[in-house]
Amino acid sequence: MKDRLTDALYGLGWAAVKKLPEPAATRLGSRIADQVWKRRGKSVLRLESNLARVVPDAGPARLAELSRAGMRSYMRYWMESFRLPSWSRDRMANGFEPEDVHHLVDGLASGRGVVIALPHMGNYDLAGAWVTSRLDIPFTTVAERLKPETLYDRFVAYRESLGMEVLPHTGGAAFGTLARRLRAGGLVCLVADRDLSASGVEVTFFGESARMPAGPALLAQQTGAVLLPVTLWYDDSPIMKGRVHPPVEVPGTGDRAEKTSSMTQAVADAFATGIADHPEDWHMLQRLWLADLEERRA
């Protein structure tokens, strides 16, 4: 019953919100975010705990201000996502303004393939829609299997409608398919700031240990693809902003594990730079640092 209700609520959101005028959807999202924030539930408290690492000198009032802005940013992501399938190609092509996009263009022009690694910032679905509409480049991504299965199917259909090829995170076949796409000179986009497997790489992130996925670094090593971290954020305009960070190079020495560790740390450092500049747009409402995960297990 819970699974059916969850799926029905998401379906209602997609059906109803996409019909609203954009200003009305924006106001609705802000009102919902404020109500959720005022309830001080587990997700809001976890967000504040995570932000305390990002902004260590912030007092309680500043953290509360950041978490409120963070919930508004998170709800903007959902409002946009519900509405994206109804956007025109021109609206998607002009809804995102990334800095240093030449790193992406040059990487694809080299024919080596490109791996983009992103944190949970801004709206990565909108960034993907910009790639398929503005640059007219298809790409492949991986989606976590959600419960219920019907909800996962909704997300896959939604992202495929935006021009993405979506592979399931579980099952073991995704890595090989991604490698084939890259060897053919294609583009792969992966959300990579939270490890969903037991094979994550330990990194130092805002001064503490965390684990991040090894996939982006391994794919770049095995295929010769260019690895580019990307961070996203919102300002007061309706257009999302972003930055394509310089390529993460494969180290010239060391075994595969050592190279993967070094490259994943470089990706984490790029993420930290973007998150520190725009902490309210990092939508990390789950435990991330090893200390928090160990505390939960205890």
Side-chain angles (χ1 to χ4, degrees), residues 69-83:
M71 293 308 297
R72 286 190 168 198
S73 174
Y74 184 49
M75 197 53 62
R76 176 172 170 175
Y77 158 76
W78 280 110
M79 292 292 121
E80 285 180 347
S81 294
F82 287 146
R83 292 173 53 77

Side-chain angles (χ1 to χ4, degrees), residues 55 141 196 240 277:
V55 191
T141 189
L196 295 174
M240 186 175 68
D277 288 342

Side-chain angles (χ1 to χ4, degrees), residues 84 87-98 101 103-105 108 114-118 123-141 159 162-165 185-190 228 230 232 240 244:
L84 265 177
W87 282 16
S88 67
R89 188 177 180 85
D90 183 68
R91 176 72 175 87
M92 288 188 282
N94 292 290
F96 177 42
E97 289 181 353
V101 73
H103 292 307
L104 172 58
V105 174
L108 291 169
V114 173
V115 182
I116 287 180
L118 308 99
N123 188 341
Y124 37 82
D125 287 328
L126 173 55
W130 179 86
V131 168
T132 59
S133 58
R134 183 66 173 263
L135 301 183
D136 198 24
I137 296 171
F139 69 90
T140 304
T141 189
R159 287 177 173 140
L162 301 175
M164 312 175 193
E165 179 187 22
L187 175 63
V188 165
C189 300
L190 301 171
L228 297 175
V230 173
L232 311 170
M240 186 175 68
V244 182

Side-chain angles (χ1 to χ4, degrees), residues 223-288:
T223 68
V226 180
L227 174 54
L228 297 175
V230 173
T231 51
L232 311 170
W233 66 90
Y234 294 120
D235 57 17
D236 293 331
S237 77
I239 299 173
M240 186 175 68
K241 304 301 190 295
R243 179 188 175 196
V244 182
H245 295 258
V248 174
E249 303 293 343
V250 178
T253 59
D255 59 22
R256 186 174 73 167
E258 290 169 337
K259 291 178 180 179
T260 301
S261 177
S262 175
M263 295 173 73
T264 305
Q265 182 63 62
V267 170
D269 292 342
F271 288 173
T273 298
I275 292 168
D277 288 342
H278 305 280
E280 66 278 7
D281 292 311
W282 186 42
H283 307 150
M284 185 53 66
L285 279 65
Q286 298 85 21
R287 297 173 189 263
L288 176 71

